[in-house]
Amino acid sequence: MTEERLPNLELWPVGNCQVSGLIDQTGALVWGCVPRVDGDPLFSSLLNGDQRDAGIWRFELEGQVSASQEYIRNTPNLVTRLEAKDGSAVEILDFCPRYERSGRMYRPVAYVRIVRPIAGNPRVRVVLKPVKNYGAQVAETTHGTNHIRYLVGPQALRLSTDAPVGYIMEGRTFRIEKDTHFFLGPDEPFVGNVREQVRSMEQATRKYWQRWVRMLAIPLEWQEEVIRCAITLKLCQHEETGAIVAALTTSIPEAADSERNWDYRYCWIRDSYYTIQALNRLGALDVMEKYLSYLRNIVDGARGGQIQPLYSVMGESELDETTASYLAGYRGMGPVRRGNAAYKQIQHDCYGQIVLPSVQGFFDTRLLRMADSHDFENLEQVGKMAWAMHDQPDAGLWEFRTRQEVHTYSAVMSWAACDRLANVAEHIGKTDRAKLWRERADAIREKIEAEAWKENGEGGHYGASFESDYLDASLLQMVELRFLSPENDRFKQTFAAVEEHLRRGDHMLRYAAEDDFGAPETAFNVCTFWLIEALHLAGRDAEACKLFTTMLSHTTQSGLLSEDLDYETGELWGNFPQTYSLVGVINCAGLLSKSWSEVR
């Protein structure tokens, strides 16, 4: 593989909350799964290693010398402009249909592409080679006069087009003389004129997203950055169930050749909590309502028992971890994992992360369905688990695979669960239950103060666990969770210790101690945003703004971030786009922006 052909994370997400795709810098669709985000990758070129001509959909402009890209304002509809040496040029418009039709949201398993001649006499070759069984086979095809069927699994997909089907089948280059339309979707006859229907779909999809953005309560500054992150977070929700995935990809390594390759196409209770919290601050109530429905189903299924750290978007509990042997991995850095063994782990912070977003359902009168006493009783079952497990060992939020301790973050989340249940009980008039949950919250607080605080000759700090005094960045969340105030001396000492031991220039490690795979090699982007928040709380706003500007300089051209960043080279690593990281952009922009009142 030549240096020019190395995959990178300069990717542009498109989607409709049913399926999603990632477009690379050349306008090629290099990643996309069907029939949903955790399904079989129809397009897998991103993880094909050297074999990048399978699992891909691209338009090759004859004599191409440049490419440029931008989203249509306030939408995930992408325009890629390809230019040739002779001045010829085309634009590729990518989108996945999403709009209301017949009283419900139309969001088919479909990718739509429009190729438009812009200048000269452009000649294009269409390379469309979907794969199946995680890259094991290129899909077989059959075709008709105006369509091609791709047998990608139990159900085929059909390409309906007004381009010459024979040219596509034979891989021939042909002149693009008018707008040419491609609809890859369900295997059923395309109703209506392809040109008119596809154009109508794009206009309706554009209107949907621009109206959705119009309802957001955004900060005065960094508006474009916040809007792009908000749109992308919404794309990470599987609307059918309300689940929110941690990222759209699997197995992008956290660092080069680290084998820290994980499948993030699932709903982590923790990650979703942070996503909902950020979008709720922007007023995106529709995402929260759907997610609360998903949570209620998870709680019902647990029947008062243990909650897993993650589930499939359909709520499936078993996510057995295997490897896809036919995919070489990102830049050949395998393995490519399917499933995630973390579902078997014990992570006690998840109880708090169910309670905290659910609590809003009892207070927010905007909701179509407000929570009631029956919901409170169900939520108490989660609280009982938080109380029972607050001082028990777990794998922690960083999902250690070979050791367990009583992690401070998990204990604080258990405290938050009990504290918020007390608030709800008071609100709905259950005085006796309020007393019980307040007593439990106070008892957990005492335990944390006694066990997590580590004295040393210079004062002390909270440790990442009860058993040891090492530090991790999650300790900075003690203020966000309202366990401590920013003025608390113990928090100030802990912040100073975390910054000293985990900060690497403008970036933050999640922890510095060796884990199951050795010492961490990259910064964890959300932890850098937690550092920025802590700097703001400490009154160091100038420094916080400087670091925030630095983080924004590391975003892709699409305005997004992955999970990790090499703090020496600035290169992005880890799954993409990472919801944690986008949440950090939204939260910090809200904290650091000037007020709207300053310009009114």
Side-chain angles (χ1 to χ4, degrees), residues 219 221-222 226 282 536 548 584-594:
E221 298 181 272
W222 304 293
V226 167
L282 300 180
H536 167 73
F548 186 50
V585 173
I586 291 172
N587 288 346
C588 288
L591 284 175
L592 300 174
S593 173
K594 297 176 182 177

Side-chain angles (χ1 to χ4, degrees), residues 152 457 475:
V152 294
L475 296 168

